[in-house]
Structure formats: C-alpha cells, structure tokens
Amino acid sequence: MPDAALNEQIRRIAADHAGQPGGVLPALHAVQARLGHVPAEATAILAELFNLSRAEIHGVVGFYHDFRRTPPGRHVVKLCRAEACQSMGARGLEAHAKATTGIGFGATTDDGALTLEAVYCLGACAAAPAVMVDGEPVGRVDAARFDRIVAELRRTR
C-alpha cells in the first residue's frame, strides 16, 4: 500500500476518536484492529490529530504491551507471565516456547506463521499456566501441549 494511501487510512480510522477526551488509546486500538499493528506512520498522524508530540504518541505505544509495531504472524500466541502462572511453571514454558519457535516475545517466525507475545494476566489463574491462541484462552499448558498447539497452528493457514 503506498504511503499516501496508508496515511489516509490511518487518518480516517483515528479521526473517529479525535474529538474524544482520552481518544488516543481508542484511536490506537482502532488502528491496530484494522491494520493488525500500529505502523510508524501513525505516530505523526495521531500527534497532529490529538495535538500531542510524536514522543507522547510513541510513549503510549511503547508503554502498552498490547500494541504491535510490526504486523503479526498468521497466528498469535500469548503466554501469561503473571505470578499465578509463573508459580505453576510459566517460566519453563516460556523458555521452551522461545527455544522451540526460535523467537522471543514480540517476534514472528521467519515463515510468518506465529507471533509470540507476553501477556500479564489472562484471568485463567485456576488453569495455570495459560496461553491465549488467536484470542482463545487455553489452560494447563505444558511443553508437550504447547508443541501440539504450535504444530496445529502451522498446519492451518
């Protein structure tokens, strides 16, 4: 998509929120929902629309872990890093996930199949450790179950 077209699309998406107090967050969420991520071009556009500095917009995107700066893979797996999940083995699961996928948090596999992200509570403490796979929570995930999930995701396009 040419830069001018992308810029206009970002402007249209964010404009719905420009008159709202605190509209920056809803605008960023709307941009990400539509485009899959918050492209770098959005910083200047949102700064102008909300009369903020580029640094302020950049700071908001950087502060909230849910915002992506690059397009995600075809599938997104979020690993819970909250205390309940950690007490039930999430750190080991995290190490396994990073080793077997070859990527860290916020990265996408070379084939574009999988993006791995950290999340700080899924509200599934009783089923720890938990992950979210394409928006669906999955509980009691160990290394073997993680491998099965990833294998299934790679089969589905």
Side-chain angles (χ1 to χ4, degrees):
M1 178 181 297
D3 286 348
L6 176 61
N7 290 349
E8 183 55 34
Q9 185 176 15
I10 293 167
R11 189 174 299 286
R12 280 194 319 272
I13 295 166
D16 292 341
H17 306 282
Q20 301 172 355
V24 172
L25 280 176
L28 286 166
H29 282 292
V31 168
Q32 182 162 292
R34 185 83 55 82
L35 303 178
H37 69 295
V38 178
E41 294 85 348
T43 301
I45 295 165
L46 291 173
E48 178 187 326
L49 283 172
F50 290 95
N51 195 30
L52 297 169
S53 71
R54 291 178 184 195
E56 288 171 303
I57 300 298
H58 182 75
V60 172
V61 173
F63 180 78
Y64 292 101
H65 297 281
D66 265 353
F67 293 124
R68 290 185 202 100
R69 295 172 192 221
T70 58
R74 291 184 300 279
H75 303 284
V76 177
V77 176
K78 297 182 179 190
L79 277 71
C80 182
R81 302 189 71 212
E83 290 80 5
C85 283
Q86 285 190 26
S87 72
M88 296 299 289
R91 284 193 180 155
L93 179 60
E94 175 185 336
H96 176 79
K98 289 177 176 180
T100 59
T101 62
I103 58 173
F105 288 135
T108 301
T109 56
D110 289 339
D111 63 2
L114 179 76
T115 295
L116 190 62
E117 295 182 347
V119 65
Y120 294 91
C121 189
L122 292 171
C125 303
V131 301
M132 184 172 282
V133 180
D134 293 337
E136 295 294 321
V138 180
R140 296 184 178 82
V141 179
D142 59 10
R145 188 166 188 198
F146 180 85
D147 291 345
R148 289 192 302 273
I149 290 168
V150 169
E152 179 61 29
L153 292 176
R154 289 187 184 280
R155 283 193 290 274
T156 60
R157 295 267 171 194

